[in-house]
């Protein structure tokens, strides 16, 4: 168990024998063996049943906690899907050696231990959003704060930071009780280093008739580029960005692209919400350039290059 926790979470774990107190009732002494663990400085008790009974342990874990003053971790060799679901629903910590661990009372401590993992090939949408938000703000915010701003779970933001660390773009530091993230490079160089991992945020394009009003959505595609540069476009080249949720609400998923429909606008479905990165009526510059990187129109690439110069990119 100790090796599994260390290898999985990349944190320091120590193990000690646990001397069962005299006041322990006989059934607790006979039904379980005990080990004291310290995980990232937090003391807890590994409780290994000789013959596991889910209903029995649910009743006995409270007594174990009362007598020891420690958070109990159920140590199992195997588990059924039903047992796993029941334990998680009741927020009961457990470890199935070599398979799974669930330690809700240590979630913050464990996720704050950021170690380099296998190198990321491409950003996930959340990682790209986290990176661009930090790049524009010139600050990598703490996980909990960023989770509230972007509307993603703490786990998702943690995962995004882990990806950025694995790409050697961000580092994690602890000074006293203060935990922080900071860029490995100056921001100008950071953008260049991140380019190889960046993705096109557009997952799908639709042509939509004017039954739907997208004027409250951000301008995207060539429409946005024309707002930011000298590019001239026709009325039929108007384009707006929507999120997956918005696409579902407007039933865009059921619409076929019809490039011959001259009374339509183009709608791009984005893998992250571009409105989190900009407030000027258009999608942000960097995301926009990523959506147009494969456009083979020379006039478009000339304007994209001009926009890149703004970021010395």
């Amino acid at each position: 168990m100790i090796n599994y926790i260390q290898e999985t979470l990349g944190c320091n774990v120590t193990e000690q024998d646990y001397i069962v107190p005299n006041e322990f009732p006989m059934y607790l002494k006979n039904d379980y063996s005990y080990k004291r663990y310290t995980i990232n400085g937090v003391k807890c008790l590994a409780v290994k049943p000789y013959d596991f009974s889910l209903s029995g342990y649910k009743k006995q874990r409270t007594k174990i906690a009362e007598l020891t003053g420690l958070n109990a971790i159920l140590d199992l060799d195997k588990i059924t899907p039903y047992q796993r679901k029941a334990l998680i629903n009741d927020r009961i910590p457990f470890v199935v050696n070599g398979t799974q661990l669930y330690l809700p009372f240590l979630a913050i401590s464990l996720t704050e231990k950021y170690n380099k993992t296998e190198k990321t090939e491409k950003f996930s949408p959340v990682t790209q959003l986290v990176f661009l938000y930090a790049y524009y703000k010139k600050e990598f915010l703490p996980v909990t704060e960023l989770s509230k701003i972007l509307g993603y779970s703490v786990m998702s933001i943690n995962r995004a930071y882990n990806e950025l660390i694995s790409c050697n773009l961000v580092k994690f530091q602890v000074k006293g009780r203060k935990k922080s993230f900071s860029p490995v490079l100056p921001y100008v160089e950071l953008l260049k280093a991140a380019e190889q991992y960046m993705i096109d945020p557009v997952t799908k394009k639709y042509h939509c008739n004017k039954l739907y009003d997208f004027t409250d959505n951000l301008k995207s595609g060539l429409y946005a580029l024309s707002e930011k540069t000298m590019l001239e476009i026709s009325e039929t080249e108007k384009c707006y960005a929507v999120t997956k949720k918005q696409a579902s609400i407007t039933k865009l998923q059921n619409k076929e692209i019809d490039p011959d429909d001259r009374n339509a606008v183009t709608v791009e479905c984005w893998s992250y919400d571009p409105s989190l990165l900009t407030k000027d009526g258009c999608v942000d510059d960097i995301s926009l350039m990523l959506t147009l990187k494969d456009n083979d129109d020379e006039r478009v690439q000339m304007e994209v290059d001009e926009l890149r110069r703004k970021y010395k990119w």
Side-chain angles (χ1 to χ4, degrees), residues 29-91:
K29 292 181 179 179
N30 293 338
D31 291 350
Y32 304 96
S33 64
Y34 304 91
K35 291 280 187 180
R36 186 194 295 270
Y37 280 79
T38 304
I39 306 175
N40 264 13
V42 179
K43 294 180 180 179
C44 46
L45 189 69
V47 180
K48 190 171 185 66
Y50 293 117
D51 186 15
F52 179 54
S53 165
L54 177 60
S55 58
Y57 182 71
K58 283 185 176 182
K59 297 175 183 177
Q60 294 159 1
R61 63 185 288 265
T62 302
K63 188 66 175 178
I64 293 172
E66 288 177 358
L67 292 172
T68 64
L70 298 169
N71 286 294
I73 303 173
L74 185 58
D75 182 2
L76 298 172
D77 293 321
K78 59 183 179 180
I79 193 172
T80 67
Y82 169 76
Q83 290 170 338
R84 179 185 294 109
K85 183 177 180 181
L87 290 170
I88 292 174
N89 284 344
D90 289 340
R91 294 185 61 80

Side-chain angles (χ1 to χ4, degrees), residues 1-5 75-78 95-100:
M1 178 173 161
I2 184 172
N3 290 334
Y4 175 58
I5 295 176
D75 182 2
L76 298 172
D77 293 321
K78 59 183 179 180
V95 173
V96 184
N97 196 26
T99 302
Q100 185 177 5

Side-chain angles (χ1 to χ4, degrees), residues 213-219 240-243 246 281:
D213 182 8
F214 293 101
T215 54
D216 288 336
N217 290 76
L218 297 179
K219 299 171 186 175
Y240 297 93
V242 299
T243 62
Q246 290 171 324

Side-chain angles (χ1 to χ4, degrees), residues 1-13 37-40 42 44 73 93-96 98-117 155 158 162 172:
M1 178 173 161
I2 184 172
N3 290 334
Y4 175 58
I5 295 176
Q6 288 181 150
E7 290 172 4
T8 303
L9 301 173
C11 62
N12 183 48
V13 183
Y37 280 79
T38 304
I39 306 175
N40 264 13
V42 179
C44 46
I73 303 173
F94 67 91
V95 173
V96 184
T99 302
Q100 185 177 5
L101 54 81
Y102 176 68
L103 307 174
F105 69 95
L106 283 175
I108 295 176
S109 296
L110 293 175
T111 53
E112 288 177 346
K113 183 72 177 181
Y114 291 88
N115 286 320
K116 290 187 179 180
T117 57
M155 184 179 294
N158 273 322
N162 273 325
F172 175 66

